[in-house]
Amino acid sequence: MGKTINLVLVVAGALACLAFTGLMPWAELGMNAKFDNWPEWLRWLATNLNFSLPDYAAVSDLSTQWTAHLKKAGAETRFGDYAYALVMGLAMIGAAIGIGAIGREESEEKTILPVKK
C-alpha cells in the first residue's frame, strides 16, 4: 500500500512539474509567447532549422484573467514577472512532492545502521 501511494505521488508531482515548467516560457515572455516575442536565437532556429516554437494559444485567456487580478490587487507593470514567479513556485512544489515520495522510502532503508552486539 505504501509503495502505491509513493508511486502516485511521484507521478502526480512529475506531471505537475512538467506542466508548470512548460508554462514558464509563456510567463517569462510577459504572458504573450507570439513568434515576435521569442528571443532572437530561438526565432533564428525556428526560421532556419524548422524548429517549432509553441504559441500558447490555449492559455491566452488565462493571461487576461491574471492581468485583471493583478491590476485589482495593485500591481502596475511587468505582470509576466508575477506569472513567472507563480508558475516557478508551482513547478517547484510539484518537484518537491515527487522527490519527497521517492526520498522517503530510500531514506528509511539506508539510514538505519545495524547494531553490532
Side-chain angles (χ1 to χ4, degrees), residues 39-117:
E40 184 68 33
W41 66 274
L42 275 175
R43 285 188 282 164
W44 184 88
L45 284 176
T47 305
N48 297 322
L49 301 177
N50 292 331
F51 182 76
S52 64
L53 295 174
D55 63 356
Y56 293 99
V59 291
S60 62
D61 67 326
L62 185 61
S63 66
T64 57
Q65 293 171 4
W66 280 8
T67 302
H69 176 71
L70 288 169
K71 284 182 181 178
K72 185 178 168 185
E76 296 176 7
T77 59
R78 301 183 58 98
F79 302 117
D81 290 348
Y82 293 103
Y84 185 75
L86 175 68
V87 171
M88 173 71 92
L90 292 173
M92 290 174 68
I93 289 170
I97 290 171
I99 291 169
I102 293 171
R104 189 172 356 155
E105 181 180 330
E106 290 184 5
S107 67
E108 292 171 1
E109 295 174 7
K110 292 182 179 178
T111 58
I112 299 173
L113 300 173
V115 177
K116 295 182 180 179
K117 292 185 181 184

